[in-house]
Amino acid sequence: MDQLSSVVSRLQMVSTSDYSSVVSMNLFVALLCACIVIGHLLEENRWMNESITALVIGVCTGVIILLVSGGKSSHLLVFSEDLFFIYLLPPIIFNAGFQVKKKQFFRNFITIMLFGAIGTLISCTIISLGAMQAFKRLDIGSLDLGDFLAIGAIFAATDSVCTLQVLNQDETPLLYSLVFGEGVVNDATSVVLFNAIQSFDLSNLNTSSAFQLLGNFLYLFFASTMLGVITGLLSAYIIKKLYFARHSTDREVALMMLMAYLSYMLAELFDMSGILTVFFCGIVMSHYTWHNVTESSRITTKHAFATLSFVAEIFLFLYVGMDALDIEKWRFVSDSPGTSVAVSSILMGLVMLGRAAFVFPLSFVSNLMKKSPTDKVGFKQQIVIWWAGLMRGAVSTVLAYNQFTRSGHTQLRGNAVMITSTITVVLFSTVVFGLMTKPLIRLLLPQQKAAISMVLSDPPTQKSVTTPLLEQSQDSEADLGSTPLGNGIHRPGSLRALLNAPTHTVHYYWRKFDDGFMRPVFGGRGFVPFVPGSPTERSVRQWN
Amino acid sequence: MDQLSSVVSRLQMVSTSDYSSVVSMNLFVALLCACIVIGHLLEENRWMNESITALVIGVCTGVIILLVSGGKSSHLLVFSEDLFFIYLLPPIIFNAGFQVKKKQFFRNFITIMLFGAIGTLISCTIISLGAMQAFKRLDIGSLDLGDFLAIGAIFAATDSVCTLQVLNQDETPLLYSLVFGEGVVNDATSVVLFNAIQSFDLSNLNTSSAFQLLGNFLYLFFASTMLGVITGLLSAYIIKKLYFARHSTDREVALMMLMAYLSYMLAELFDMSGILTVFFCGIVMSHYTWHNVTESSRITTKHAFATLSFVAEIFLFLYVGMDALDIEKWRFVSDSPGTSVAVSSILMGLVMLGRAAFVFPLSFVSNLMKKSPTDKVGFKQQIVIWWAGLMRGAVSTVLAYNQFTRSGHTQLRGNAVMITSTITVVLFSTVVFGLMTKPLIRLLLPQQKAAISMVLSDPPTQKSVTTPLLEQSQDSEADLGSTPLGNGIHRPGSLRALLNAPTHTVHYYWRKFDDGFMRPVFGGRGFVPFVPGSPTERSVRQWN
């Protein structure tokens, strides 16, 4: 029996070098499964969503681990920025770009940019100044000017992932595109701003450095966007040229996945914003590449990307929930719980104030520019936009860790307080605001649901129900199916096609350029050469 | 400009902590894309396959990196057993189980077990004894009895991944199921054997320890299989019970992926064979779970699993190609190139002899047990089985690293020689034998292709062409579509249904049990409750 047990113990050595990491992975995968099942059971619930479920399960698991380990640790994996920025964020943002309603997004492009760039700057300034004033009277240790500016950037980062879960692209398309589009630009702005603040010589501020910052931001924005567009077009071109009449689903899917990931990694390599790059890569891929592949590839990519994004999101919230109980961070706080509560409340208030300070004025500016009354953002919608963007999530957490810890450990009192306050704000905003968003939308905009469900051309039994992410996945087809120009496919009786008729000249010229040059080169709906009996034939037939 | 550049350099710090790892990942992802594109272009070529392409590209990249880095390094990532056993192997083996022709596999179950378990033992013994005799005269440093036994286990491990690429499930279904089924059992046997040898007290060998080894092997085999079956059934039960009439594609796909991975990790946790577990989990999932989900989920899982497996395979061969040029290993060899060539040639010869020593006798035994002449394995087919299993791949490499290196470094002369010889054997067998398998099959079994393509019920335009992995993916439907019992769905005109009629009583009772108990509980083709207008309706209609 000695030999048997030693055989068994050696087996483990070959299989994997670290036993405890296997235990952690088992538990983590099992928890992910539990989140999916429980999230499904709570689906009908009007308050809950998958993020909150994962967060709550994460906190509960954290408590259990804390008790089992005798108060030593509360989480299974060591959180690293790499894990977040290299593995979890890319699929989430890519999928958002891949399945966003392109028409809505580009119609509101100026408003989105206003909210995302100018709005974030306003929000950041207000939070920084407010924190500077408010924290003077509290005893929270030493924080310098750089720390306060960093606090502004940290708490200006909207959680676009959570927004995806509470807003519904089919029920409130305008709000969804505004809040989510803003979220993506805002993520990029916050990261750029944060880095700029960390590296700036704060003792020597002047006008030229402000212009440098602005120039740097504009350069990053355009370069990142172009990189994403070029990678997307390259994938479309390769698949169109190589796979003509000789389709192979697995190669196409693999190539799309790898090139999407490559765009993100290239952006990281060239020190650009990977978030923006992969978002625009997703948009271009859904507009061109997706139409060059077989019907099986289309279904596979649509759902595989959505699934990857879905799992990454749950993973993220599960981790944030577990990490919230990390004992080291709370040691300093336990001495003076009042201070910590005060700091968190002040920050939460500043977040709300900072967001209000740009949503309402910028909505007013945006409404001035719009001609048609259907495009204008009403006051009730403005309230929803303000509310839905109040959640703070993983980006804030990662930035706070970066500023206030040295490799995950908090030594100074001021730093520890800021970390715990960030966690408190993230938990509070995600759970409380997240829970209240669905009822709030139902209260403020009760007519939306009925109106839109009439317009949808998919039969309700065919589409998956209730989670925003899943409904979204119907979009790529629906969105493209209603294009009134180009390929002569006009879906009769579709109200949306009439509503979305291109009134803007920019859109008209884009259509002309797209149909005259882009689609013949890169493929796209109606422009992939027709091969009788090929997989594309069936899909064209089916969708008419 | 100073500030600008420092902003840029700080950005990288937030985004990722290690710049060189970003460069490596970019290059690796780009190489994977290149392999897919080049593999597609060479698809029509009768010699090449994806593995060889990846291997060649890997070697070329290794040469370039070697030149660029001035002879310091030839690979981008440090190879770890974890990377192989935790991330790359599970998707490959799971997909193989998910898309294997179940009927063929279970009809030949006894033959497969004979080849996989007894055959590996015979092969291992012959290689060990042969190496012991042959290496005496060569000056290759100190190798003890344990090393020689380990050499036997290392070179008895057939590369089932490469087999998937050279044999075609639709053209040669019997050979495919035999060689691939053997490969899976063989992988498990080799790993168990290797661990047993590493931990055995070699100075004290007796009969009881041999029986312990046998008992341990049987326990591992049955426990691993049961774990896979139970996890698969659990996933089927959860999806059937929870998702009834309220399907959601992304949740189903996520749950299937996570539970498949969980089965592998659980096996690792309990010190069992994850390879066997995940293989049987794949079989059960394709028989029950796959039929409980929406049609979109079916298409998505089929192609997503195949794609993941495809990418993991290319990754593996790309890495093996790069790693082959690692300079440290070749330092000792350059002193006496003759010895190294001799050792590699001897090992290659022993691999061929060891395989011949069990394929032909065991085929004879297996033929004695079969009643119908169509089930018997002919002599030409035996040659193909012998030939297709001669390739050595990643499992051999990993085991060799484990035995002959300490954390990737080779200090002793004997160890260095063994590592380089393993690499030589892997490269030589994969490239040379791999290149010659397709022509050999065409030479020995010319009639197979024409006969089978008549039987296939899918129209040839609908299915993806030429790579075995892709053709395989059509199987789950075709295989299940031709079940003559159970749900009354009999595809008229299908020759295969007649050929595969259940002659064996075991199979008949299994069908009765499956239809009477298993399917009503766990779901499966024809046993998922019919909901009018639900996604399942469409799929049932379509497949009749």
Short mmCIF file of all heavy atoms in Angstrom, two decimals, chain A residues 7 10-11 14-15 26 37 40 43 50 81 195 216 242 249-251 265-266 268 271 306 461 467 470 533 542, chain B residues 7 10-11 14-15 26 37 40 43 50 81 195 198 216 242 246 250-251 265-266 268 271 306 461 470 533 538:
data_model
loop_
_atom_site.label_atom_id
_atom_site.label_comp_id
_atom_site.label_asym_id
_atom_site.label_seq_id
_atom_site.Cartn_x
_atom_site.Cartn_y
_atom_site.Cartn_z
N VAL A 7 2.74 5.97 -5.70
CA VAL A 7 2.42 6.08 -7.13
C VAL A 7 1.43 7.22 -7.33
O VAL A 7 1.60 8.08 -8.20
CB VAL A 7 1.81 4.76 -7.67
CG1 VAL A 7 1.19 4.98 -9.05
CG2 VAL A 7 2.85 3.68 -7.75
N ARG A 10 2.93 10.57 -6.85
CA ARG A 10 3.81 10.99 -7.93
C ARG A 10 3.03 11.41 -9.17
O ARG A 10 3.45 12.29 -9.91
CB ARG A 10 4.76 9.85 -8.34
CG ARG A 10 5.78 9.47 -7.29
CD ARG A 10 6.79 10.54 -7.07
NE ARG A 10 7.66 10.71 -8.21
CZ ARG A 10 8.84 11.31 -8.15
NH1 ARG A 10 9.29 11.79 -7.01
NH2 ARG A 10 9.57 11.45 -9.22
N LEU A 11 1.89 10.75 -9.37
CA LEU A 11 1.07 11.08 -10.53
C LEU A 11 0.78 12.55 -10.57
O LEU A 11 0.85 13.20 -11.62
CB LEU A 11 -0.25 10.29 -10.48
CG LEU A 11 -1.20 10.56 -11.63
CD1 LEU A 11 -0.69 9.91 -12.89
CD2 LEU A 11 -2.59 10.07 -11.32
N VAL A 14 3.52 14.77 -12.06
CA VAL A 14 3.59 14.89 -13.51
C VAL A 14 2.45 15.76 -14.02
O VAL A 14 2.63 16.63 -14.86
CB VAL A 14 3.51 13.50 -14.18
CG1 VAL A 14 3.37 13.64 -15.69
CG2 VAL A 14 4.74 12.71 -13.85
N SER A 15 1.27 15.50 -13.48
CA SER A 15 0.09 16.18 -13.98
C SER A 15 0.17 17.69 -13.74
O SER A 15 -0.09 18.48 -14.62
CB SER A 15 -1.16 15.63 -13.32
OG SER A 15 -1.17 14.24 -13.41
N ASN A 26 -10.44 24.16 -9.31
CA ASN A 26 -11.66 23.38 -9.19
C ASN A 26 -12.77 24.18 -8.55
O ASN A 26 -13.89 24.23 -9.06
CB ASN A 26 -11.39 22.14 -8.32
CG ASN A 26 -11.05 20.94 -9.15
OD1 ASN A 26 -11.87 20.51 -9.95
ND2 ASN A 26 -9.85 20.44 -9.01
N VAL A 37 -26.02 28.70 -12.97
CA VAL A 37 -27.27 28.03 -12.63
C VAL A 37 -28.15 28.93 -11.76
O VAL A 37 -29.34 29.11 -12.04
CB VAL A 37 -26.99 26.68 -11.93
CG1 VAL A 37 -28.26 26.08 -11.39
CG2 VAL A 37 -26.31 25.72 -12.88
N HIS A 40 -29.58 31.75 -13.64
CA HIS A 40 -30.71 31.32 -14.47
C HIS A 40 -31.98 31.21 -13.64
O HIS A 40 -33.06 31.61 -14.08
CB HIS A 40 -30.39 29.97 -15.11
CG HIS A 40 -31.52 29.40 -15.90
ND1 HIS A 40 -31.82 29.84 -17.16
CD2 HIS A 40 -32.43 28.46 -15.59
CE1 HIS A 40 -32.87 29.17 -17.60
NE2 HIS A 40 -33.26 28.33 -16.67
N GLU A 43 -33.53 34.52 -12.91
CA GLU A 43 -33.69 35.33 -14.11
C GLU A 43 -34.98 36.13 -14.11
O GLU A 43 -35.02 37.29 -14.53
CB GLU A 43 -33.69 34.37 -15.31
CG GLU A 43 -33.38 35.00 -16.61
CD GLU A 43 -33.36 33.91 -17.68
OE1 GLU A 43 -34.42 33.51 -18.16
OE2 GLU A 43 -32.26 33.46 -18.02
N GLU A 50 -26.99 38.94 -13.28
CA GLU A 50 -25.88 38.01 -13.13
C GLU A 50 -24.70 38.60 -12.34
O GLU A 50 -24.07 37.91 -11.56
CB GLU A 50 -25.39 37.59 -14.52
CG GLU A 50 -25.15 36.12 -14.65
CD GLU A 50 -26.28 35.46 -15.40
OE1 GLU A 50 -26.86 36.09 -16.28
OE2 GLU A 50 -26.59 34.29 -15.10
N GLU A 81 -3.12 42.48 -12.45
CA GLU A 81 -3.58 43.36 -13.52
C GLU A 81 -3.54 42.64 -14.86
O GLU A 81 -4.38 42.86 -15.71
CB GLU A 81 -2.71 44.61 -13.59
CG GLU A 81 -2.94 45.53 -12.43
CD GLU A 81 -2.00 46.71 -12.46
OE1 GLU A 81 -1.45 47.00 -13.54
OE2 GLU A 81 -1.81 47.32 -11.41
N ASN A 195 -2.81 57.47 -16.30
CA ASN A 195 -1.39 57.35 -16.61
C ASN A 195 -0.73 58.71 -16.73
O ASN A 195 0.40 58.90 -16.29
CB ASN A 195 -1.21 56.57 -17.90
CG ASN A 195 -1.48 55.11 -17.68
OD1 ASN A 195 -0.74 54.46 -16.97
ND2 ASN A 195 -2.55 54.60 -18.25
N ASN A 216 -1.87 64.08 -26.75
CA ASN A 216 -1.62 62.67 -26.48
C ASN A 216 -2.92 61.88 -26.50
O ASN A 216 -3.01 60.80 -27.09
CB ASN A 216 -0.96 62.54 -25.11
CG ASN A 216 -0.55 61.12 -24.80
OD1 ASN A 216 -0.28 60.36 -25.71
ND2 ASN A 216 -0.53 60.77 -23.54
N LEU A 242 -9.14 34.06 -49.28
CA LEU A 242 -8.64 32.70 -49.17
C LEU A 242 -9.73 31.66 -49.16
O LEU A 242 -9.55 30.56 -49.65
CB LEU A 242 -7.82 32.55 -47.89
CG LEU A 242 -6.47 33.23 -47.85
CD1 LEU A 242 -5.79 32.92 -46.55
CD2 LEU A 242 -5.61 32.76 -49.00
N THR A 249 -15.30 25.97 -41.42
CA THR A 249 -15.80 26.69 -40.26
C THR A 249 -14.75 26.89 -39.17
O THR A 249 -14.56 28.01 -38.69
CB THR A 249 -17.01 25.94 -39.69
OG1 THR A 249 -18.00 25.91 -40.71
CG2 THR A 249 -17.57 26.63 -38.47
N ASP A 250 -14.05 25.82 -38.80
CA ASP A 250 -13.15 25.93 -37.65
C ASP A 250 -12.00 26.89 -37.92
O ASP A 250 -11.59 27.63 -37.04
CB ASP A 250 -12.60 24.55 -37.28
CG ASP A 250 -13.71 23.62 -36.86
OD1 ASP A 250 -14.81 24.12 -36.59
OD2 ASP A 250 -13.49 22.40 -36.83
N ARG A 251 -11.46 26.86 -39.14
CA ARG A 251 -10.39 27.78 -39.47
C ARG A 251 -10.87 29.22 -39.42
O ARG A 251 -10.18 30.11 -38.93
CB ARG A 251 -9.85 27.50 -40.87
CG ARG A 251 -8.96 26.32 -40.94
CD ARG A 251 -7.80 26.58 -41.89
NE ARG A 251 -7.04 25.36 -42.07
CZ ARG A 251 -7.33 24.44 -42.98
NH1 ARG A 251 -8.35 24.61 -43.79
NH2 ARG A 251 -6.59 23.37 -43.07
N MET A 265 -3.62 42.90 -28.48
CA MET A 265 -2.23 42.77 -28.05
C MET A 265 -1.32 43.74 -28.81
O MET A 265 -0.35 44.24 -28.24
CB MET A 265 -1.75 41.33 -28.24
CG MET A 265 -2.40 40.31 -27.34
SD MET A 265 -2.36 40.75 -25.59
CE MET A 265 -0.62 40.55 -25.24
N LEU A 266 -1.63 43.99 -30.08
CA LEU A 266 -0.85 44.96 -30.84
C LEU A 266 -0.98 46.35 -30.23
O LEU A 266 0.00 47.09 -30.12
CB LEU A 266 -1.31 45.00 -32.30
CG LEU A 266 -0.74 43.92 -33.22
CD1 LEU A 266 -1.39 44.00 -34.59
CD2 LEU A 266 0.77 44.04 -33.34
N GLU A 268 -1.58 47.01 -27.13
CA GLU A 268 -0.77 47.01 -25.91
C GLU A 268 0.70 47.17 -26.25
O GLU A 268 1.44 47.86 -25.56
CB GLU A 268 -0.98 45.70 -25.14
CG GLU A 268 -2.36 45.50 -24.61
CD GLU A 268 -2.69 46.43 -23.45
OE1 GLU A 268 -1.97 46.38 -22.45
OE2 GLU A 268 -3.64 47.21 -23.58
N ASP A 271 1.62 50.66 -27.02
CA ASP A 271 1.22 51.57 -25.94
C ASP A 271 -0.02 52.37 -26.27
O ASP A 271 -0.12 53.55 -25.93
CB ASP A 271 2.37 52.53 -25.60
CG ASP A 271 3.60 51.78 -25.15
OD1 ASP A 271 3.42 50.77 -24.47
OD2 ASP A 271 4.71 52.22 -25.46
N ALA A 306 -20.13 35.76 -27.32
CA ALA A 306 -21.03 36.15 -26.23
C ALA A 306 -20.77 35.30 -24.99
O ALA A 306 -20.76 35.81 -23.87
CB ALA A 306 -22.48 36.01 -26.67
N THR A 461 -40.45 33.46 -29.65
CA THR A 461 -40.03 32.14 -29.18
C THR A 461 -38.63 31.79 -29.66
O THR A 461 -37.94 31.00 -29.04
CB THR A 461 -40.97 31.04 -29.68
OG1 THR A 461 -41.26 31.28 -31.05
CG2 THR A 461 -42.27 31.03 -28.89
N THR A 467 -31.92 38.05 -20.47
CA THR A 467 -30.64 38.70 -20.16
C THR A 467 -30.25 39.61 -21.33
O THR A 467 -30.35 39.20 -22.48
CB THR A 467 -29.50 37.70 -19.95
OG1 THR A 467 -29.55 36.75 -20.99
CG2 THR A 467 -29.57 37.05 -18.60
N LEU A 470 -27.94 38.30 -24.08
CA LEU A 470 -28.45 37.35 -25.04
C LEU A 470 -29.32 38.04 -26.08
O LEU A 470 -29.25 37.73 -27.26
CB LEU A 470 -29.24 36.27 -24.32
CG LEU A 470 -28.38 35.51 -23.31
CD1 LEU A 470 -29.25 34.61 -22.47
CD2 LEU A 470 -27.34 34.71 -24.03
N GLY A 533 -25.11 26.21 -53.97
CA GLY A 533 -24.88 25.03 -53.14
C GLY A 533 -23.91 25.25 -52.00
O GLY A 533 -23.73 24.38 -51.18
N GLN A 542 -32.44 31.91 -46.26
CA GLN A 542 -33.15 31.90 -44.99
C GLN A 542 -33.50 33.29 -44.50
O GLN A 542 -34.53 33.51 -43.88
CB GLN A 542 -32.25 31.21 -43.98
CG GLN A 542 -32.97 30.82 -42.70
CD GLN A 542 -31.98 30.19 -41.75
OE1 GLN A 542 -31.20 29.33 -42.15
NE2 GLN A 542 -31.99 30.60 -40.52
N VAL B 7 4.53 59.64 -20.40
CA VAL B 7 3.13 59.22 -20.33
C VAL B 7 2.98 57.87 -21.02
O VAL B 7 2.38 56.93 -20.49
CB VAL B 7 2.19 60.25 -21.00
CG1 VAL B 7 0.80 59.66 -21.21
CG2 VAL B 7 2.11 61.51 -20.18
N ARG B 10 4.52 55.06 -19.12
CA ARG B 10 3.76 54.67 -17.93
C ARG B 10 2.52 53.88 -18.30
O ARG B 10 2.09 53.02 -17.55
CB ARG B 10 3.32 55.91 -17.13
CG ARG B 10 4.44 56.67 -16.49
CD ARG B 10 5.12 55.88 -15.40
NE ARG B 10 4.25 55.71 -14.25
CZ ARG B 10 4.68 55.38 -13.04
NH1 ARG B 10 5.97 55.19 -12.85
NH2 ARG B 10 3.85 55.22 -12.04
N LEU B 11 1.96 54.22 -19.44
CA LEU B 11 0.74 53.54 -19.87
C LEU B 11 0.95 52.04 -19.88
O LEU B 11 0.11 51.26 -19.44
CB LEU B 11 0.35 54.01 -21.27
CG LEU B 11 -0.90 53.34 -21.84
CD1 LEU B 11 -2.14 53.87 -21.15
CD2 LEU B 11 -1.01 53.56 -23.33
N VAL B 14 0.58 50.24 -16.50
CA VAL B 14 -0.76 49.90 -16.06
C VAL B 14 -1.29 48.72 -16.87
O VAL B 14 -1.87 47.79 -16.34
CB VAL B 14 -1.70 51.11 -16.20
CG1 VAL B 14 -3.13 50.68 -15.95
CG2 VAL B 14 -1.31 52.19 -15.24
N SER B 15 -1.05 48.80 -18.15
CA SER B 15 -1.65 47.81 -19.04
C SER B 15 -1.08 46.42 -18.77
O SER B 15 -1.81 45.46 -18.68
CB SER B 15 -1.42 48.17 -20.49
OG SER B 15 -1.80 49.51 -20.71
N ASN B 26 2.28 38.66 -28.82
CA ASN B 26 1.97 39.16 -30.15
C ASN B 26 2.52 38.25 -31.24
O ASN B 26 1.82 37.89 -32.18
CB ASN B 26 2.57 40.56 -30.34
CG ASN B 26 1.58 41.64 -30.01
OD1 ASN B 26 0.56 41.76 -30.67
ND2 ASN B 26 1.85 42.39 -28.98
N VAL B 37 -3.47 30.24 -41.96
CA VAL B 37 -3.57 30.66 -43.36
C VAL B 37 -2.74 29.75 -44.26
O VAL B 37 -3.22 29.27 -45.29
CB VAL B 37 -3.13 32.14 -43.50
CG1 VAL B 37 -3.02 32.54 -44.96
CG2 VAL B 37 -4.12 33.05 -42.78
N HIS B 40 -4.19 26.39 -44.63
CA HIS B 40 -5.30 26.41 -45.58
C HIS B 40 -4.81 26.37 -47.02
O HIS B 40 -5.37 25.67 -47.87
CB HIS B 40 -6.15 27.65 -45.35
CG HIS B 40 -7.26 27.80 -46.32
ND1 HIS B 40 -8.43 27.09 -46.23
CD2 HIS B 40 -7.38 28.56 -47.43
CE1 HIS B 40 -9.22 27.40 -47.23
NE2 HIS B 40 -8.61 28.30 -47.97
N GLU B 43 -3.73 23.00 -48.10
CA GLU B 43 -4.73 21.98 -47.82
C GLU B 43 -4.82 20.93 -48.92
O GLU B 43 -4.97 19.73 -48.65
CB GLU B 43 -6.07 22.69 -47.67
CG GLU B 43 -7.12 21.91 -46.95
CD GLU B 43 -8.37 22.75 -46.84
OE1 GLU B 43 -9.13 22.85 -47.82
OE2 GLU B 43 -8.57 23.35 -45.79
N GLU B 50 -1.69 20.16 -41.04
CA GLU B 50 -1.53 21.33 -40.18
C GLU B 50 -0.40 21.17 -39.15
O GLU B 50 0.32 22.11 -38.86
CB GLU B 50 -2.85 21.58 -39.44
CG GLU B 50 -3.27 23.02 -39.42
CD GLU B 50 -4.38 23.28 -40.43
OE1 GLU B 50 -5.20 22.40 -40.62
OE2 GLU B 50 -4.38 24.37 -41.02
N GLU B 81 4.89 22.14 -17.88
CA GLU B 81 3.96 21.02 -17.91
C GLU B 81 2.54 21.49 -17.66
O GLU B 81 1.59 20.96 -18.21
CB GLU B 81 4.37 19.99 -16.85
CG GLU B 81 5.63 19.26 -17.21
CD GLU B 81 6.05 18.33 -16.09
OE1 GLU B 81 5.21 17.97 -15.27
OE2 GLU B 81 7.23 17.97 -16.06
N ASN B 195 4.67 7.20 -14.01
CA ASN B 195 4.64 7.57 -12.60
C ASN B 195 4.96 6.39 -11.72
O ASN B 195 5.65 6.53 -10.71
CB ASN B 195 3.27 8.13 -12.24
CG ASN B 195 3.10 9.51 -12.81
OD1 ASN B 195 3.80 10.42 -12.41
ND2 ASN B 195 2.22 9.64 -13.78
N GLN B 198 8.69 5.88 -11.88
CA GLN B 198 9.43 6.91 -11.15
C GLN B 198 9.40 6.67 -9.64
O GLN B 198 10.35 6.98 -8.94
CB GLN B 198 8.84 8.29 -11.46
CG GLN B 198 9.41 8.90 -12.74
CD GLN B 198 9.28 10.41 -12.71
OE1 GLN B 198 8.34 10.97 -12.16
NE2 GLN B 198 10.23 11.08 -13.34
N ASN B 216 -3.64 -0.80 -9.35
CA ASN B 216 -3.64 0.66 -9.42
C ASN B 216 -4.11 1.14 -10.79
O ASN B 216 -4.93 2.05 -10.91
CB ASN B 216 -2.22 1.16 -9.14
CG ASN B 216 -2.15 2.67 -9.06
OD1 ASN B 216 -3.14 3.30 -8.71
ND2 ASN B 216 -1.01 3.23 -9.38
N LEU B 242 -33.33 22.45 -15.83
CA LEU B 242 -33.42 23.89 -15.61
C LEU B 242 -33.87 24.64 -16.84
O LEU B 242 -34.54 25.65 -16.74
CB LEU B 242 -32.06 24.44 -15.18
CG LEU B 242 -31.59 24.07 -13.78
CD1 LEU B 242 -30.27 24.74 -13.52
CD2 LEU B 242 -32.61 24.53 -12.75
N ARG B 246 -37.11 27.22 -21.67
CA ARG B 246 -36.61 28.57 -21.39
C ARG B 246 -35.12 28.56 -21.72
O ARG B 246 -34.28 28.81 -20.88
CB ARG B 246 -36.85 28.88 -19.92
CG ARG B 246 -36.88 30.33 -19.55
CD ARG B 246 -37.80 30.55 -18.35
NE ARG B 246 -37.33 29.82 -17.18
CZ ARG B 246 -36.58 30.36 -16.21
NH1 ARG B 246 -36.23 31.62 -16.27
NH2 ARG B 246 -36.20 29.66 -15.17
N ASP B 250 -26.21 31.12 -24.59
CA ASP B 250 -24.90 31.42 -24.01
C ASP B 250 -24.70 30.71 -22.68
O ASP B 250 -23.61 30.22 -22.39
CB ASP B 250 -24.74 32.92 -23.81
CG ASP B 250 -24.78 33.63 -25.14
OD1 ASP B 250 -24.62 32.96 -26.16
OD2 ASP B 250 -24.97 34.86 -25.15
N ARG B 251 -25.76 30.63 -21.87
CA ARG B 251 -25.64 29.92 -20.59
C ARG B 251 -25.38 28.44 -20.82
O ARG B 251 -24.56 27.83 -20.13
CB ARG B 251 -26.94 30.07 -19.79
CG ARG B 251 -27.06 31.39 -19.11
CD ARG B 251 -27.68 31.25 -17.73
NE ARG B 251 -27.96 32.56 -17.19
CZ ARG B 251 -29.10 33.21 -17.40
NH1 ARG B 251 -30.06 32.65 -18.12
NH2 ARG B 251 -29.28 34.40 -16.90
N MET B 265 -10.37 18.83 -14.28
CA MET B 265 -9.70 19.34 -13.08
C MET B 265 -10.01 18.48 -11.86
O MET B 265 -9.16 18.29 -10.99
CB MET B 265 -10.11 20.80 -12.82
CG MET B 265 -9.60 21.78 -13.85
SD MET B 265 -7.83 21.66 -14.18
CE MET B 265 -7.17 22.28 -12.64
N LEU B 266 -11.24 17.95 -11.79
CA LEU B 266 -11.58 17.06 -10.68
C LEU B 266 -10.72 15.81 -10.72
O LEU B 266 -10.24 15.34 -9.68
CB LEU B 266 -13.06 16.67 -10.74
CG LEU B 266 -14.06 17.68 -10.18
CD1 LEU B 266 -15.47 17.22 -10.45
CD2 LEU B 266 -13.84 17.87 -8.68
N GLU B 268 -7.74 15.57 -11.94
CA GLU B 268 -6.40 15.96 -11.49
C GLU B 268 -6.38 16.08 -9.97
O GLU B 268 -5.41 15.70 -9.32
CB GLU B 268 -6.01 17.30 -12.10
CG GLU B 268 -5.84 17.29 -13.60
CD GLU B 268 -4.61 16.50 -14.02
OE1 GLU B 268 -3.51 16.88 -13.60
OE2 GLU B 268 -4.75 15.52 -14.76
N ASP B 271 -6.14 12.80 -8.28
CA ASP B 271 -4.99 12.02 -8.77
C ASP B 271 -5.40 10.93 -9.75
O ASP B 271 -4.85 9.83 -9.73
CB ASP B 271 -4.22 11.41 -7.60
CG ASP B 271 -3.69 12.47 -6.68
OD1 ASP B 271 -3.30 13.53 -7.20
OD2 ASP B 271 -3.66 12.25 -5.47
N ALA B 306 -14.33 22.24 -31.53
CA ALA B 306 -13.39 21.87 -32.59
C ALA B 306 -12.35 22.96 -32.79
O ALA B 306 -11.17 22.67 -32.99
CB ALA B 306 -14.15 21.60 -33.88
N THR B 461 -21.55 19.39 -50.55
CA THR B 461 -21.34 20.84 -50.50
C THR B 461 -21.56 21.40 -49.11
O THR B 461 -21.01 22.42 -48.75
CB THR B 461 -22.29 21.56 -51.46
OG1 THR B 461 -23.60 20.99 -51.30
CG2 THR B 461 -21.86 21.41 -52.90
N LEU B 470 -12.34 18.60 -39.33
CA LEU B 470 -13.57 19.25 -39.72
C LEU B 470 -14.61 18.23 -40.17
O LEU B 470 -15.77 18.36 -39.87
CB LEU B 470 -13.29 20.24 -40.84
CG LEU B 470 -12.30 21.31 -40.41
CD1 LEU B 470 -11.87 22.14 -41.58
CD2 LEU B 470 -12.91 22.18 -39.34
N GLY B 533 -42.88 25.57 -31.25
CA GLY B 533 -42.30 26.90 -31.44
C GLY B 533 -40.97 27.09 -30.75
O GLY B 533 -40.33 28.11 -30.91
N ARG B 538 -37.53 23.30 -34.52
CA ARG B 538 -36.92 23.52 -35.82
C ARG B 538 -35.88 22.45 -36.14
O ARG B 538 -35.84 21.92 -37.24
CB ARG B 538 -36.27 24.89 -35.82
CG ARG B 538 -35.80 25.31 -37.19
CD ARG B 538 -35.24 26.72 -37.12
NE ARG B 538 -34.24 26.91 -38.14
CZ ARG B 538 -33.19 27.71 -37.98
NH1 ARG B 538 -33.03 28.37 -36.87
NH2 ARG B 538 -32.32 27.83 -38.95
#
